[in-house]
Amino acid sequence: MSPADPNHPNEAARLTQQLIDQGFTKRQIARMLGRDASLVTQFFTKGKGKAFVRALRQILRAVRGGERDTETLTGIARENVERRRTRTGQKARVRGKDVVGAPGESMAGRAGKQAIRSGASHLAPVVHETGRAGGRLAFTVRMKADQYTMSAGSTEDSPGLRRGFVPRADGTEERTYGSASTGGFDAAEWSRRVADHHGDVTEAMKTWLVETGRAVEDADIQYLEVRAWVPPEQR
């Protein structure tokens, strides 16, 4: 691809620059997109980045709505990065794993609709191992908007996290509970919760949402993500 015209940046470069103007670095933006910072630089130098335009737009929209938590912005980006396509036009297989990271340091795992139906059991080790290491957890949950009982972005729903509401075309909302900046949740406590539900992480989360008044009793979780880390003083 020929070098980009600095006087006429493409859409990816233009959106990235707006995020930089909002105080984010290229490295932070790259991490949100799940890519290396060198690729973001190529938005400006080589005109790359078409596949990331939708994700960048949604990140910028959330930032303008008040969101500053990079973990939350990463979740928004992940759901909007366009998949690569094969020569026949089919979506390419996703590279990567549902659970990444190292026990005793930091880990992350996600579960989509199919895994949710089986209790997202592959997320249980993330919770248990982090609990044994004395770590902390944060969660992202997606459900139909009318299944939440509190307004989106309210401090009562998720204390310490200020976010703008990013509506989804399918009528769902994605909400984050806990973050490194707020200290997150005690992983040992959540390990007990998951054990009480025989390893069913989905049911453990649903029970917590209902018990704390955040969701209706027949709530149906469609996506669940857990992020785990161990504070430096615990290592």
Side-chain angles (χ1 to χ4, degrees):
M1 182 177 291
S2 59
D5 182 350
N7 296 317
H8 298 88
N10 66 11
E11 186 71 356
R14 188 181 66 80
L15 293 167
T16 299
Q17 185 59 54
Q18 291 183 54
L19 286 169
I20 292 173
D21 293 342
Q22 290 283 341
F24 294 95
T25 66
K26 287 183 180 179
R27 186 175 298 277
Q28 286 177 312
I29 296 168
R31 287 175 178 171
M32 293 176 201
L33 298 173
R35 298 296 187 273
D36 187 84
S38 62
L39 176 60
V40 173
T41 296
Q42 291 178 43
F43 295 173
F44 297 87
T45 61
K46 296 186 177 181
K48 293 187 176 182
K50 182 179 179 180
F52 301 96
V53 168
R54 184 170 64 183
L56 288 165
R57 283 176 180 162
Q58 292 301 323
I59 293 172
L60 184 60
R61 184 175 184 178
V63 168
R64 287 174 172 169
E67 178 60 77
R68 302 297 298 185
D69 183 75
T70 55
E71 292 179 356
T72 301
L73 295 172
T74 297
I76 292 172
R78 182 180 295 124
E79 294 303 309
N80 287 280
V81 171
E82 293 185 17
R83 294 261 298 277
R84 295 181 302 108
R85 292 185 177 274
T86 64
R87 292 181 179 179
T88 60
Q90 300 296 315
K91 288 185 177 180
R93 295 181 60 183
V94 176
R95 290 174 293 184
K97 300 179 180 179
D98 286 336
V99 175
V100 297
E105 296 180 8
S106 63
M107 300 180 73
R110 59 183 181 272
K113 289 184 178 179
Q114 184 173 350
I116 288 292
R117 286 195 291 270
S118 62
S121 58
H122 66 287
L123 299 182
V126 177
V127 177
H128 294 318
E129 290 170 11
T130 307
R132 286 192 288 270
R136 313 293 292 182
L137 299 174
F139 301 93
T140 295
V141 180
R142 186 191 307 153
M143 301 188 302
K144 288 291 185 180
D146 60 5
Q147 293 183 344
Y148 292 100
T149 59
M150 299 179 183
S151 60
S154 71
T155 56
E156 184 181 7
D157 181 46
S158 192
L161 293 181
R162 297 181 59 189
R163 284 181 306 285
F165 169 51
V166 181
R168 295 181 178 277
D170 61 0
T172 62
E173 285 183 20
E174 195 167 281
R175 301 193 184 185
T176 296
Y177 299 103
S179 71
S181 61
T182 62
F185 296 98
D186 181 4
E189 177 187 345
W190 270 92
S191 180
R192 290 190 291 271
R193 284 180 172 273
V194 171
D196 288 344
H197 288 85
H198 309 289
D200 191 323
V201 183
T202 306
E203 193 61 27
M205 172 53 69
K206 176 182 174 180
T207 299
W208 179 80
L209 290 169
V210 174
E211 286 180 348
T212 58
R214 290 174 166 84
V216 298
E217 290 191 5
D218 60 346
D220 180 26
I221 296 175
Q222 297 187 18
Y223 173 84
L224 179 61
E225 180 178 308
V226 58
R227 295 175 299 284
W229 68 95
V230 179
E233 62 271 18
Q234 298 296 115
R235 295 178 185 174

